[in-house]
Amino acid sequence: MVGLHGRGLSSYFDRPISVTNGDQLWSVRDNTVIHFDGTQWITYENALSGYGWNDIEATPLGVFVINLYGQIATFDGTRWQTQQLSTLIPMSNLGSTYASSADLVKTPDGIIYLAYNGNLFRYDGQSWQPLWRADAPFD
């Protein structure tokens, strides 16, 4: 294991960490993302616009970071792109532009899910598909 003390990275690990199947580590703090590729640490300073970045997941489909202000950032291996969820999610009612909850979850097979303000979505590699709406009635 590569030591973090004295490298300015230890403070990142009070934040969410994502581990890929290839044992690569990803973490986010403020608008900076760090990545351990198995050999070295790579820091993406100011990679994310905005604030409130609170969760990160890395899958074969890419790296995803979500914040509480309705933004999602993706990394395709070359560049970071930040977008408003309202332009990506096929749903008119996402709730407030400030989320009471915004979480990403990855299954063992690499499928990624997004929970945002009580709504649940699945990423199919091209777009986010709704699985549950917060305003849907229970059956």
Side-chain angles (χ1 to χ4, degrees):
M1 177 62 135
V2 174
L4 302 176
H5 183 67
R7 296 180 190 215
L9 296 174
S10 60
S11 64
Y12 281 89
F13 294 101
D14 64 348
R15 302 296 176 161
I17 297 173
S18 179
V19 180
T20 66
N21 291 340
D23 295 330
Q24 296 189 34
L25 300 173
W26 291 85
S27 186
V28 62
R29 184 178 191 136
D30 300 323
N31 62 353
T32 298
V33 176
I34 64 166
H35 172 220
F36 182 69
D37 67 6
T39 305
Q40 65 182 345
W41 289 98
I42 302 165
T43 302
Y44 299 95
E45 296 279 346
N46 301 311
L48 309 172
S49 62
Y51 299 95
W53 298 99
N54 71 313
D55 203 3
I56 187 167
E57 283 295 350
T59 75
L61 300 173
V63 180
F64 300 84
V65 188
I66 187 80
N67 74 6
L68 296 173
Y69 298 99
Q71 294 178 307
I72 190 164
T74 55
F75 183 65
D76 62 8
T78 304
R79 70 181 186 98
W80 288 95
Q81 180 180 7
T82 302
Q83 295 177 284
Q84 288 298 124
L85 281 174
S86 59
T87 64
L88 301 174
I89 301 294
M91 214 171 109
S92 59
N93 181 16
L94 273 178
S96 167
T97 55
Y98 178 79
S100 56
S101 64
D103 296 296
L104 295 164
V105 176
K106 174 182 61 180
T107 60
D109 59 358
I111 295 172
I112 192 156
Y113 293 88
L114 162 66
Y116 189 84
N117 273 355
N119 301 291
L120 182 63
F121 305 91
R122 177 181 186 263
Y123 188 68
D124 65 10
Q126 300 294 318
S127 62
W128 293 95
Q129 301 301 316
L131 297 177
W132 175 259
R133 290 177 55 133
D135 60 357
F138 285 103
D139 290 335

